[in-house]
Amino acid sequence: MFFPAKATVAKVLAVALSVSTPAWGAQASSTYIHAGTLIDVDAKKSRSNQTIIVSNGMIEDIVNGYAEAPDGAQAVDLKNATVLPGLIDAHVHLLMNLGPDTQMKALTQNDSEATLDGVVNARTTLMAGFTTVQDLGSRNESIFALRDAIAKGQVPGPRILASGEAISANGEEGSVGCSGADECRRVTRAHITAGADVIKTAISGGTLISMGAPPSRFTAEELRAIVETAESMNRKVAVHAHGIEAIKFALKQNVHSIEHGTYLDDEAVALFRKSGAVLVPTMMAGQVMEAFAANPMAPPAFREEASQFTARLVAAAARAKRGGVTIALGTDVGAAVHGDNAQELPLLVRAGLTPMEALRAGTIIAATHLGVDKLTGSLKKGKAADIIAVDGDPLADISVLLDVDFVMKGGVVYKGGQ
Ligand SMILES: [Zn+2]
């Protein structure tokens, strides 16, 4: 176990989320960032000619005009750029790499190899402008060790909140199984004590095997026991669900988010509204399903369905958006390519979000969903200096975020800014 058993939840979170001075990376005593345009996702507007003053990893102040950096402070010239908060991805798999050998690797790769893959993927993610991610489904010890090494500044990467292995009824696909409400409570508690920041449950199986599967392998009592136990330890429960019955079943047990939500309908939208659950649509994952659709060995009904998967995910997100459901950005990278996370932003716009709404889904709304909005998610005095910059105007063309030129996390510059 990575954490001593007596470690309190507060301590665990403090380690995971702390703004620490890394062993590498340039960090002056204070940094003055001159932003030509600054996007304020709290106020939903942009402002021109701003100075962000960063010290000790935090945003000390944001002032109008270009304030001159005092002696000893570092100045970063982003006068020709658009500056915005570091992006947040609420659904990644940092230890997984999509490829022809994905399934073989799941069987043969040991924890050390998986962890080293995660180190590479974490760096790639950070360089793409994602300064915080939630990992929903990776081997416990590997992902918790990676999270903590990044928090200590030992390796570059985004802040990570991690579920570790998913909890399921049968323990399939690398998850931990539990049967009966008591055992589900015990497993949930053990998971959180081992270091989980969030609980991920798989109630109806993965995409590939969920067609024709029952809506849930958990009973309502079991899933509710998981939710109540998680809440009692200040954690949320994210549920992987594609099918409409699985989505509605989960929402009725008051889970906190539905991941994917592919076949949601208006009744599900009403349940989202009633429970306050968040939808994380992961539309990028549709690409993978479409690739499977090209496989002549797959059953025809599956191929037909898989070939339309992105369109289905976009339609589901669009329906949720029209119905007023809270949508947070999540990509399922691992089942898509690490570093391509920003591709989810144009998909959110395709689903009917304005560019500002899409940006908010990938910043302040995701931060609130992850429970880290006091720390990050917007450019605001007192928050961590998680700051990125791009050429062009994301509010006119969201795809400019596919090319991030400057990345600062916790006051440390990881990319650009020379
Ligand atoms: Zn996933």
Side-chain angles (χ1 to χ4, degrees), residues 91-93 96 136-137 200 240 259-260 282 331-333 335:
H91 188 135
V92 303
H93 300 275
M96 194 168 123
L136 291 179
K200 164 86 178 288
H240 164 109
E259 310 295 317
H260 318 301
T282 72
T331 60
D332 216 5
V333 291

mmCIF file with all atom_site columns, all heavy atoms in Angstrom, residues 91-93 96 136-137 200 240 259-260 282 331-333 335, ligand 1:
data_model
loop_
_atom_site.group_PDB
_atom_site.id
_atom_site.type_symbol
_atom_site.label_atom_id
_atom_site.label_alt_id
_atom_site.label_comp_id
_atom_site.label_asym_id
_atom_site.label_entity_id
_atom_site.label_seq_id
_atom_site.pdbx_PDB_ins_code
_atom_site.Cartn_x
_atom_site.Cartn_y
_atom_site.Cartn_z
_atom_site.occupancy
_atom_site.B_iso_or_equiv
_atom_site.pdbx_formal_charge
_atom_site.auth_seq_id
_atom_site.auth_comp_id
_atom_site.auth_asym_id
_atom_site.auth_atom_id
_atom_site.pdbx_PDB_model_num
ATOM   1   N  N   . HIS A 1 91  ? -11.444 12.624 -17.715 1.00 0.00 ? 91  HIS A N   1
ATOM   2   C  CA  . HIS A 1 91  ? -11.481 11.170 -17.970 1.00 0.00 ? 91  HIS A CA  1
ATOM   3   C  C   . HIS A 1 91  ? -10.313 10.743 -18.854 1.00 0.00 ? 91  HIS A C   1
ATOM   4   O  O   . HIS A 1 91  ? -10.362 10.872 -20.077 1.00 0.00 ? 91  HIS A O   1
ATOM   5   C  CB  . HIS A 1 91  ? -12.814 10.787 -18.626 1.00 0.00 ? 91  HIS A CB  1
ATOM   6   C  CG  . HIS A 1 91  ? -13.035 9.312  -18.745 1.00 0.00 ? 91  HIS A CG  1
ATOM   7   N  ND1 . HIS A 1 91  ? -14.228 8.708  -18.419 1.00 0.00 ? 91  HIS A ND1 1
ATOM   8   C  CD2 . HIS A 1 91  ? -12.214 8.307  -19.142 1.00 0.00 ? 91  HIS A CD2 1
ATOM   9   C  CE1 . HIS A 1 91  ? -14.137 7.400  -18.617 1.00 0.00 ? 91  HIS A CE1 1
ATOM   10  N  NE2 . HIS A 1 91  ? -12.918 7.133  -19.066 1.00 0.00 ? 91  HIS A NE2 1
ATOM   11  N  N   . VAL A 1 92  ? -9.258  10.283 -18.223 1.00 0.00 ? 92  VAL A N   1
ATOM   12  C  CA  . VAL A 1 92  ? -8.104  9.760  -18.978 1.00 0.00 ? 92  VAL A CA  1
ATOM   13  C  C   . VAL A 1 92  ? -7.698  8.396  -18.413 1.00 0.00 ? 92  VAL A C   1
ATOM   14  O  O   . VAL A 1 92  ? -8.134  7.997  -17.330 1.00 0.00 ? 92  VAL A O   1
ATOM   15  C  CB  . VAL A 1 92  ? -6.869  10.713 -18.901 1.00 0.00 ? 92  VAL A CB  1
ATOM   16  C  CG1 . VAL A 1 92  ? -7.225  12.099 -19.412 1.00 0.00 ? 92  VAL A CG1 1
ATOM   17  C  CG2 . VAL A 1 92  ? -6.302  10.787 -17.487 1.00 0.00 ? 92  VAL A CG2 1
ATOM   18  N  N   . HIS A 1 93  ? -6.864  7.706  -19.195 1.00 0.00 ? 93  HIS A N   1
ATOM   19  C  CA  . HIS A 1 93  ? -6.226  6.472  -18.731 1.00 0.00 ? 93  HIS A CA  1
ATOM   20  C  C   . HIS A 1 93  ? -4.742  6.617  -19.052 1.00 0.00 ? 93  HIS A C   1
ATOM   21  O  O   . HIS A 1 93  ? -4.299  6.265  -20.146 1.00 0.00 ? 93  HIS A O   1
ATOM   22  C  CB  . HIS A 1 93  ? -6.813  5.252  -19.447 1.00 0.00 ? 93  HIS A CB  1
ATOM   23  C  CG  . HIS A 1 93  ? -8.283  5.083  -19.229 1.00 0.00 ? 93  HIS A CG  1
ATOM   24  N  ND1 . HIS A 1 93  ? -8.790  4.430  -18.126 1.00 0.00 ? 93  HIS A ND1 1
ATOM   25  C  CD2 . HIS A 1 93  ? -9.351  5.510  -19.936 1.00 0.00 ? 93  HIS A CD2 1
ATOM   26  C  CE1 . HIS A 1 93  ? -10.122 4.446  -18.185 1.00 0.00 ? 93  HIS A CE1 1
ATOM   27  N  NE2 . HIS A 1 93  ? -10.486 5.100  -19.266 1.00 0.00 ? 93  HIS A NE2 1
ATOM   28  N  N   . MET A 1 96  ? -2.541  3.551  -20.191 1.00 0.00 ? 96  MET A N   1
ATOM   29  C  CA  . MET A 1 96  ? -3.000  2.745  -21.325 1.00 0.00 ? 96  MET A CA  1
ATOM   30  C  C   . MET A 1 96  ? -2.594  3.431  -22.621 1.00 0.00 ? 96  MET A C   1
ATOM   31  O  O   . MET A 1 96  ? -2.655  4.650  -22.731 1.00 0.00 ? 96  MET A O   1
ATOM   32  C  CB  . MET A 1 96  ? -4.527  2.667  -21.229 1.00 0.00 ? 96  MET A CB  1
ATOM   33  C  CG  . MET A 1 96  ? -5.189  1.646  -22.083 1.00 0.00 ? 96  MET A CG  1
ATOM   34  S  SD  . MET A 1 96  ? -6.923  1.531  -21.497 1.00 0.00 ? 96  MET A SD  1
ATOM   35  C  CE  . MET A 1 96  ? -7.753  1.893  -23.025 1.00 0.00 ? 96  MET A CE  1
ATOM   36  N  N   . LEU A 1 136 ? -9.391  7.596  -14.657 1.00 0.00 ? 136 LEU A N   1
ATOM   37  C  CA  . LEU A 1 136 ? -10.487 6.711  -14.240 1.00 0.00 ? 136 LEU A CA  1
ATOM   38  C  C   . LEU A 1 136 ? -10.244 5.279  -14.696 1.00 0.00 ? 136 LEU A C   1
ATOM   39  O  O   . LEU A 1 136 ? -10.882 4.785  -15.622 1.00 0.00 ? 136 LEU A O   1
ATOM   40  C  CB  . LEU A 1 136 ? -11.818 7.228  -14.794 1.00 0.00 ? 136 LEU A CB  1
ATOM   41  C  CG  . LEU A 1 136 ? -12.340 8.533  -14.190 1.00 0.00 ? 136 LEU A CG  1
ATOM   42  C  CD1 . LEU A 1 136 ? -13.657 8.946  -14.842 1.00 0.00 ? 136 LEU A CD1 1
ATOM   43  C  CD2 . LEU A 1 136 ? -12.527 8.399  -12.680 1.00 0.00 ? 136 LEU A CD2 1
ATOM   44  N  N   . GLY A 1 137 ? -9.298  4.635  -14.019 1.00 0.00 ? 137 GLY A N   1
ATOM   45  C  CA  . GLY A 1 137 ? -9.086  3.233  -14.340 1.00 0.00 ? 137 GLY A CA  1
ATOM   46  C  C   . GLY A 1 137 ? -7.659  2.951  -14.727 1.00 0.00 ? 137 GLY A C   1
ATOM   47  O  O   . GLY A 1 137 ? -7.308  2.917  -15.901 1.00 0.00 ? 137 GLY A O   1
ATOM   48  N  N   . LYS A 1 200 ? -14.421 4.804  -9.417  1.00 0.00 ? 200 LYS A N   1
ATOM   49  C  CA  . LYS A 1 200 ? -14.950 4.526  -10.752 1.00 0.00 ? 200 LYS A CA  1
ATOM   50  C  C   . LYS A 1 200 ? -15.661 3.186  -10.691 1.00 0.00 ? 200 LYS A C   1
ATOM   51  O  O   . LYS A 1 200 ? -15.111 2.217  -10.180 1.00 0.00 ? 200 LYS A O   1
ATOM   52  C  CB  . LYS A 1 200 ? -13.773 4.442  -11.748 1.00 0.00 ? 200 LYS A CB  1
ATOM   53  C  CG  . LYS A 1 200 ? -14.101 3.798  -13.099 1.00 0.00 ? 200 LYS A CG  1
ATOM   54  C  CD  . LYS A 1 200 ? -14.654 4.783  -14.085 1.00 0.00 ? 200 LYS A CD  1
ATOM   55  C  CE  . LYS A 1 200 ? -14.954 4.181  -15.454 1.00 0.00 ? 200 LYS A CE  1
ATOM   56  N  NZ  . LYS A 1 200 ? -13.766 3.861  -16.248 1.00 0.00 ? 200 LYS A NZ  1
ATOM   57  N  N   . HIS A 1 240 ? -19.170 4.335  -15.534 1.00 0.00 ? 240 HIS A N   1
ATOM   58  C  CA  . HIS A 1 240 ? -19.067 4.053  -16.966 1.00 0.00 ? 240 HIS A CA  1
ATOM   59  C  C   . HIS A 1 240 ? -20.410 3.491  -17.425 1.00 0.00 ? 240 HIS A C   1
ATOM   60  O  O   . HIS A 1 240 ? -20.851 2.458  -16.928 1.00 0.00 ? 240 HIS A O   1
ATOM   61  C  CB  . HIS A 1 240 ? -17.941 3.019  -17.150 1.00 0.00 ? 240 HIS A CB  1
ATOM   62  C  CG  . HIS A 1 240 ? -17.922 2.332  -18.480 1.00 0.00 ? 240 HIS A CG  1
ATOM   63  N  ND1 . HIS A 1 240 ? -16.956 2.590  -19.420 1.00 0.00 ? 240 HIS A ND1 1
ATOM   64  C  CD2 . HIS A 1 240 ? -18.738 1.403  -19.023 1.00 0.00 ? 240 HIS A CD2 1
ATOM   65  C  CE1 . HIS A 1 240 ? -17.176 1.840  -20.491 1.00 0.00 ? 240 HIS A CE1 1
ATOM   66  N  NE2 . HIS A 1 240 ? -18.250 1.105  -20.283 1.00 0.00 ? 240 HIS A NE2 1
ATOM   67  N  N   . GLU A 1 259 ? -20.032 8.589  -17.331 1.00 0.00 ? 259 GLU A N   1
ATOM   68  C  CA  . GLU A 1 259 ? -18.955 8.660  -18.308 1.00 0.00 ? 259 GLU A CA  1
ATOM   69  C  C   . GLU A 1 259 ? -19.479 8.037  -19.608 1.00 0.00 ? 259 GLU A C   1
ATOM   70  O  O   . GLU A 1 259 ? -20.020 6.935  -19.583 1.00 0.00 ? 259 GLU A O   1
ATOM   71  C  CB  . GLU A 1 259 ? -17.731 7.896  -17.800 1.00 0.00 ? 259 GLU A CB  1
ATOM   72  C  CG  . GLU A 1 259 ? -17.314 8.276  -16.368 1.00 0.00 ? 259 GLU A CG  1
ATOM   73  C  CD  . GLU A 1 259 ? -16.840 9.715  -16.226 1.00 0.00 ? 259 GLU A CD  1
ATOM   74  O  OE1 . GLU A 1 259 ? -16.081 10.173 -17.100 1.00 0.00 ? 259 GLU A OE1 1
ATOM   75  O  OE2 . GLU A 1 259 ? -17.242 10.382 -15.241 1.00 0.00 ? 259 GLU A OE2 1
ATOM   76  N  N   . HIS A 1 260 ? -19.347 8.732  -20.699 1.00 0.00 ? 260 HIS A N   1
ATOM   77  C  CA  . HIS A 1 260 ? -19.783 8.351  -22.061 1.00 0.00 ? 260 HIS A CA  1
ATOM   78  C  C   . HIS A 1 260 ? -21.256 8.734  -22.288 1.00 0.00 ? 260 HIS A C   1
ATOM   79  O  O   . HIS A 1 260 ? -21.522 9.665  -23.007 1.00 0.00 ? 260 HIS A O   1
ATOM   80  C  CB  . HIS A 1 260 ? -19.541 6.872  -22.378 1.00 0.00 ? 260 HIS A CB  1
ATOM   81  C  CG  . HIS A 1 260 ? -18.220 6.361  -21.888 1.00 0.00 ? 260 HIS A CG  1
ATOM   82  N  ND1 . HIS A 1 260 ? -17.029 6.910  -22.288 1.00 0.00 ? 260 HIS A ND1 1
ATOM   83  C  CD2 . HIS A 1 260 ? -17.885 5.390  -20.978 1.00 0.00 ? 260 HIS A CD2 1
ATOM   84  C  CE1 . HIS A 1 260 ? -16.028 6.287  -21.688 1.00 0.00 ? 260 HIS A CE1 1
ATOM   85  N  NE2 . HIS A 1 260 ? -16.519 5.371  -20.886 1.00 0.00 ? 260 HIS A NE2 1
ATOM   86  N  N   . THR A 1 282 ? -16.881 12.149 -23.456 1.00 0.00 ? 282 THR A N   1
ATOM   87  C  CA  . THR A 1 282 ? -15.745 11.427 -24.097 1.00 0.00 ? 282 THR A CA  1
ATOM   88  C  C   . THR A 1 282 ? -15.993 11.122 -25.576 1.00 0.00 ? 282 THR A C   1
ATOM   89  O  O   . THR A 1 282 ? -15.874 9.975  -26.002 1.00 0.00 ? 282 THR A O   1
ATOM   90  C  CB  . THR A 1 282 ? -15.392 10.104 -23.370 1.00 0.00 ? 282 THR A CB  1
ATOM   91  O  OG1 . THR A 1 282 ? -16.415 9.130  -23.623 1.00 0.00 ? 282 THR A OG1 1
ATOM   92  C  CG2 . THR A 1 282 ? -15.216 10.283 -21.886 1.00 0.00 ? 282 THR A CG2 1
ATOM   93  N  N   . THR A 1 331 ? -11.957 12.850 -22.189 1.00 0.00 ? 331 THR A N   1
ATOM   94  C  CA  . THR A 1 331 ? -11.583 12.371 -23.518 1.00 0.00 ? 331 THR A CA  1
ATOM   95  C  C   . THR A 1 331 ? -11.474 10.856 -23.651 1.00 0.00 ? 331 THR A C   1
ATOM   96  O  O   . THR A 1 331 ? -11.546 10.344 -24.754 1.00 0.00 ? 331 THR A O   1
ATOM   97  C  CB  . THR A 1 331 ? -10.205 12.937 -23.900 1.00 0.00 ? 331 THR A CB  1
ATOM   98  O  OG1 . THR A 1 331 ? -9.257  12.482 -22.926 1.00 0.00 ? 331 THR A OG1 1
ATOM   99  C  CG2 . THR A 1 331 ? -10.233 14.459 -23.931 1.00 0.00 ? 331 THR A CG2 1
ATOM   100 N  N   . ASP A 1 332 ? -11.224 10.176 -22.534 1.00 0.00 ? 332 ASP A N   1
ATOM   101 C  CA  . ASP A 1 332 ? -10.934 8.736  -22.587 1.00 0.00 ? 332 ASP A CA  1
ATOM   102 C  C   . ASP A 1 332 ? -9.599  8.452  -23.283 1.00 0.00 ? 332 ASP A C   1
ATOM   103 O  O   . ASP A 1 332 ? -9.405  7.355  -23.795 1.00 0.00 ? 332 ASP A O   1
ATOM   104 C  CB  . ASP A 1 332 ? -12.074 7.976  -23.284 1.00 0.00 ? 332 ASP A CB  1
ATOM   105 C  CG  . ASP A 1 332 ? -12.319 6.596  -22.671 1.00 0.00 ? 332 ASP A CG  1
ATOM   106 O  OD1 . ASP A 1 332 ? -11.675 6.271  -21.648 1.00 0.00 ? 332 ASP A OD1 1
ATOM   107 O  OD2 . ASP A 1 332 ? -13.139 5.844  -23.216 1.00 0.00 ? 332 ASP A OD2 1
ATOM   108 N  N   . VAL A 1 333 ? -8.677  9.444  -23.305 1.00 0.00 ? 333 VAL A N   1
ATOM   109 C  CA  . VAL A 1 333 ? -7.370  9.153  -23.925 1.00 0.00 ? 333 VAL A CA  1
ATOM   110 C  C   . VAL A 1 333 ? -6.746  7.959  -23.215 1.00 0.00 ? 333 VAL A C   1
ATOM   111 O  O   . VAL A 1 333 ? -6.912  7.751  -22.018 1.00 0.00 ? 333 VAL A O   1
ATOM   112 C  CB  . VAL A 1 333 ? -6.363  10.337 -23.931 1.00 0.00 ? 333 VAL A CB  1
ATOM   113 C  CG1 . VAL A 1 333 ? -6.811  11.431 -24.868 1.00 0.00 ? 333 VAL A CG1 1
ATOM   114 C  CG2 . VAL A 1 333 ? -6.094  10.836 -22.542 1.00 0.00 ? 333 VAL A CG2 1
ATOM   115 N  N   . ALA A 1 335 ? -7.725  5.278  -24.647 1.00 0.00 ? 335 ALA A N   1
ATOM   116 C  CA  . ALA A 1 335 ? -8.547  4.720  -25.723 1.00 0.00 ? 335 ALA A CA  1
ATOM   117 C  C   . ALA A 1 335 ? -8.571  5.708  -26.894 1.00 0.00 ? 335 ALA A C   1
ATOM   118 O  O   . ALA A 1 335 ? -9.273  5.498  -27.869 1.00 0.00 ? 335 ALA A O   1
ATOM   119 C  CB  . ALA A 1 335 ? -9.961  4.441  -25.232 1.00 0.00 ? 335 ALA A CB  1
HETATM 120 ZN ZN  . ZN  B 2 .   ? -12.466 5.322  -19.900 1.00 0.00 ? 1   ZN  B ZN  1
#
